[in-house]
Amino acid sequence: MPAHSNSDRLVKLRHQNKLFKTLHVIVIVLSLFFAHNVFSQAGYFLSCDSLKKLLDTETKEDTTRADRLLSLSACYVYDKPDSGIYYAAKALQLSEKLGYKHCEGKANAHLGEAYWVLGDYAMSMQYYLRALNVFQQMKSTIDLSSIKYFIADIYTEMNDYKQALQYYFEARKIDEENPEELKLMLPD
């Protein structure tokens, strides 16, 4: 009987993992879509090539440059993760120098994502935990939730389902306790 119970739990965990991964992808896509719409409407959306040219010509080290480096890292995270790492590291370095916490957290998250794409889960986890620390200091619940989902995904990839579930449930709890922030990311 206990073997049947464990088998049922495993099936349930796998199903929950698929659901969480689907939610994770939806959140990322909606975040990118939302950011694209906001930046497009404000005239800030630039192609990767345009961002590179601006970074080459504008040398002022300010939050705008940090944001542009971060955006450029996002261009490459999945297709050219090494380039994504390069630009995210530059964004991280500048944001730390400026004390620009939001960009610091996002840059750590981009580094975590790029290393996850490369399959280097140890490095990925280091950067996600750094991002988690920054977002905890900022009390940014929506970012905390997102990072906890990413960390759970890493544990899932490493077949550590107990740890994965802990982070999935923590992220879900944050989402449930802050429904207004989650609504900002999800359409009606």
Side-chain angles (χ1 to χ4, degrees), residues 11-24 156 168:
V11 169
K12 188 175 180 179
L13 285 175
R14 286 184 180 148
H15 178 69
Q16 287 177 340
N17 182 33
K18 288 179 185 177
L19 290 175
F20 285 123
K21 280 189 175 186
T22 301
L23 179 61
H24 174 88
T156 299
Y168 282 135

Side-chain angles (χ1 to χ4, degrees), residues 26-36 185:
I26 290 170
V27 168
I28 290 172
V29 169
L30 289 174
S31 297
L32 293 174
F33 177 74
F34 177 72
H36 179 271
M185 295 184 69

